[in-house]
Amino acid sequence: MTDRESRYLISKYGRLFYYLRRESLQTISQVAGAQLGELQRMAQVEIRDVDKFYGDVQAIDAVSLDIDDGDFVILVGPSGCGKSTLLRMVAGLEDISYGDISIGGKVVTTLPPKDRDTAMVFQNYALYPHMTVAENMGFSLRLKGEAKSIARQKVGDTAEILGLSDLLDRYPRQLSGGQRQRVAMGRAIVRKPAVFLFDEPLSNLDAKLRVQMRAEIRELQQRLNTTTIYVTHDQIEAMTMADKIVVMQNGVIEQVGSPLDLYDRPGNTFIASFIGSPSMNLIAGKMTEDGFLSHFDDLLPVPEERRHLSATTYGIRPEHLLLDPDGLEMTVAVVETMGFETHLLGMLGETKITVLTNERVNAGLGDVIPVRPDPHNAHLFDATGTRIA
Ligand code: ADP
C-alpha cells in the first residue's frame, strides 16, 4: 500500500485513532503552554503533513509549512491549486483529513474557528448589511461580552488606523468598494488576533484601488506585526507584499522563498513561468560545447563552466534579452508601448518570446530585431523541468 493510499484510508476510516492521537498531542502542548505562562504569545503557525480530501478528490497533499511570528506569508498559485482550502483549514472552516496545524505552539487541528485566535478577511468582505460600520467592526467584541465602553474605544482606535473614523455610522451599502474592504479589515484587527487570514481580499477592487490597498495592507501588517497568511492567484500581489511566498500547484507546495529568491532562482519551469510579468521565456533544445542549441538552430550563450550540464530548457527573463546588433533574429509580432518600458512580442525560431526594454523601439509586425540573451542571467532546467543552474 502506498503512503498516499494509507493516508486516504486513515482519513476515511481511522477517525477514532486519529482523534485520539490529536487529543494527546494537544494535551502535551497545553501543559507546555501553561508552563510558559503569558510570557510568550508567539503566533508562529506550523502546518505538519496536512492532507485534505473532498470525497475521492485530494485537494491538499502532504503539505508542511512553518510560518514565523510576525511573518507576512502569501500562498499563491493557479486557480484550484488548493490555496484557499489550506487557509480555511488554518481558520478551522474546513476539517483536516490528516496531519496537524498549530498556532503559537498549540495544536488547533480539532478546535472550532472561534477558539483559534485567528481573524479572516474574505473576498466578498461578508459585512452585515443591516449593521453600521461601527456595529460591524464591534460585533465580535459584543459576542465576547466585552464592556460597551471598551468595545467602543477599540472600534474607535481601529477606525482611526484605517481612516474610517468619519464613516462609523454608515451602512455598508453607503460605502465604496475600498471602504468596505477597510471595514472588513477593521473587523479583523479589532479582535487583536494572533493570526490574520486573508482570502483574495483585493479581487473585487478595480486595478488602481488594488495597487493602493496592496500598499496599505502591507504597511498595516508591518505596523501591527501580526502573523499573516494571505491567499491570492495574483503573482504581482505576492511579489509586492510578501516576506515569504509559498507557490502551490495541484495541492502541493512547489517552492517557498522570499520574492526575490523565487524570481532569481525559480526551482522549476512552472515557478519560472508563474513568477514574473511578463513571464520568463522558456526555450527548448539541448546543451552543446558551444552553448545551448535551440530546436530551431539558434545558439544561445551559456558561460563555459555550465556547458557540461544536461539542460533541455533555457530560461531567460524578458529584461535579460538585450537589443544588440550581433544578436539572434527575433521576428516581431506586437510592440506594447508602456511609456517607461516597451514589450516586444515575437518569435525566435518557432518559440514565442517576449523582450522587455527601456528603449523606445520603432518596429512593427514582421520586422526582424536582433536580440542577445545575457548568459549570466540564463536559467537552465533539465528534462523533468527542475532547475540545474
Ligand atoms: P484555489 O483556492 O487554489 O483556487 P481551492 O482550495 O478552492 O483552490 O480548491 C482546491 C481543489 O479542491 C479544487 O480542485 C477544487 O475543485 C476542490 N474543492 C474545493 N472545495 C471543494 C468542495 N467543497 N468540494 C469538493 N471539492 C472542492
Side-chain angles (χ1 to χ4, degrees):
M1 191 186 296
T2 64
D3 191 32
R4 196 184 164 106
E5 284 164 342
S6 63
R7 283 159 177 284
Y8 175 59
L9 290 176
I10 288 171
S11 83
K12 205 159 184 183
Y13 305 110
R15 286 204 168 262
L16 182 59
F17 156 80
Y18 176 52
Y19 281 131
L20 283 173
R21 191 175 74 91
R22 272 200 310 213
E23 294 309 320
S24 64
L25 278 175
Q26 207 152 304
T27 312
I28 293 165
S29 85
Q30 273 161 1
V31 171
Q35 282 170 353
L36 282 174
E38 287 296 303
L39 272 181
Q40 283 177 302
R41 191 173 169 267
M42 299 294 284
Q44 72 275 36
V45 178
E46 289 167 19
I47 299 174
R48 282 280 158 273
D49 221 10
V50 162
D51 285 348
K52 175 69 185 178
F53 291 91
Y54 291 109
D56 287 342
V57 175
Q58 185 163 15
I60 297 291
D61 187 356
V63 162
S64 291
L65 179 65
D66 284 325
I67 297 172
D68 292 335
D69 186 39
D71 254 5
F72 193 148
V73 169
I74 296 197
L75 309 179
V76 68
S79 181
C81 71
K83 50 196 186 301
S84 298
T85 300
L86 191 57
L87 189 80
R88 292 169 63 80
M89 286 198 287
V90 175
L93 300 172
E94 294 285 355
D95 284 342
I96 297 168
S97 308
Y98 181 91
D100 277 302
I101 294 180
S102 350
I103 297 176
K106 177 177 164 190
V107 178
V108 298
T109 312
T110 54
L111 293 185
K114 68 178 178 45
D115 296 334
R116 293 195 179 201
D117 206 5
T118 61
M120 187 140 163
V121 178
F122 295 90
Q123 181 174 350
N124 61 4
Y125 318 137
L127 300 178
Y128 298 111
H130 58 286
M131 290 186 192
T132 63
V133 168
E135 287 164 347
N136 264 289
M137 283 171 63
F139 187 63
S140 65
L141 302 178
R142 226 173 72 199
L143 283 185
K144 265 203 307 196
E146 192 101 57
K148 259 189 179 165
S149 59
I150 295 179
R152 200 175 309 126
Q153 176 76 37
K154 287 186 179 175
V155 168
D157 290 348
T158 308
E160 181 101 23
I161 295 175
L162 291 164
L164 291 170
S165 304
D166 295 338
L167 306 175
L168 285 171
D169 294 329
R170 290 213 194 160
Y171 288 90
R173 65 174 180 280
Q174 299 169 313
L175 302 175
S176 71
Q179 289 165 338
R180 272 181 228 168
Q181 220 290 321
R182 256 181 236 137
V183 177
M185 284 200 298
R187 199 172 47 177
I189 292 168
V190 89
R191 295 168 53 187
K192 291 208 169 29
V195 182
F196 287 130
L197 305 171
F198 288 89
D199 192 1
E200 306 242 10
L202 306 184
S203 307
N204 292 341
L205 304 180
D206 65 47
K208 197 168 169 201
L209 198 51
R210 220 178 303 152
V211 173
Q212 183 191 329
M213 291 304 294
R214 229 159 59 190
E216 280 190 24
I217 293 178
R218 179 65 181 143
E219 202 237 304
L220 196 64
Q221 195 274 339
Q222 284 174 336
R223 197 135 49 102
L224 302 173
N225 201 28
T226 304
T227 310
T228 300
I229 311 178
Y230 183 112
V231 159
T232 179
H233 63 272
D234 179 347
Q235 60 87 27
I236 295 183
E237 262 174 47
M239 288 295 284
T240 50
M241 296 168 81
D243 291 318
K244 208 192 253 179
I245 298 179
V246 177
V247 184
M248 296 184 66
Q249 185 182 215
N250 298 330
V252 302
I253 292 181
E254 292 279 350
Q255 192 172 358
V256 179
S258 73
L260 289 181
D261 281 344
L262 299 192
Y263 192 81
D264 293 340
R265 299 187 57 78
N268 57 42
T269 46
F270 166 73
I271 299 158
S273 56
F274 189 75
I275 297 285
S277 177
S279 288
M280 185 187 286
N281 298 298
L282 296 172
I283 302 163
K286 63 174 185 200
M287 193 68 90
T288 69
E289 53 193 32
D290 299 320
F292 187 90
L293 189 64
S294 82
H295 288 332
F296 307 102
D297 281 340
D298 284 307
L299 188 65
L300 303 157
V302 175
E304 219 170 317
E305 67 277 11
R306 293 188 179 171
R307 292 189 196 154
H308 65 284
L309 295 170
S310 49
T312 55
T313 302
Y314 184 99
I316 189 85
R317 293 220 176 265
E319 67 272 29
H320 297 141
L321 279 170
L322 313 172
L323 303 182
D324 183 333
D326 295 329
L328 306 162
E329 291 189 345
M330 170 195 187
T331 308
V332 174
V334 176
V335 178
E336 292 178 346
T337 309
M338 318 291 283
F340 65 99
E341 63 187 27
T342 303
H343 300 175
L344 303 169
L345 284 63
M347 305 297 284
L348 190 68
E350 296 293 314
T351 310
K352 272 191 184 160
I353 61 163
T354 305
V355 175
L356 189 157
T357 174
N358 292 117
E359 290 179 35
R360 298 198 167 182
V361 182
N362 188 12
L365 178 67
D367 287 348
V368 173
I369 290 188
V371 296
R372 180 177 61 81
D374 171 4
H376 298 289
N377 281 305
H379 306 252
L380 299 172
F381 302 94
D382 68 14
T384 66
T386 305
R387 173 190 196 82
I388 47 178

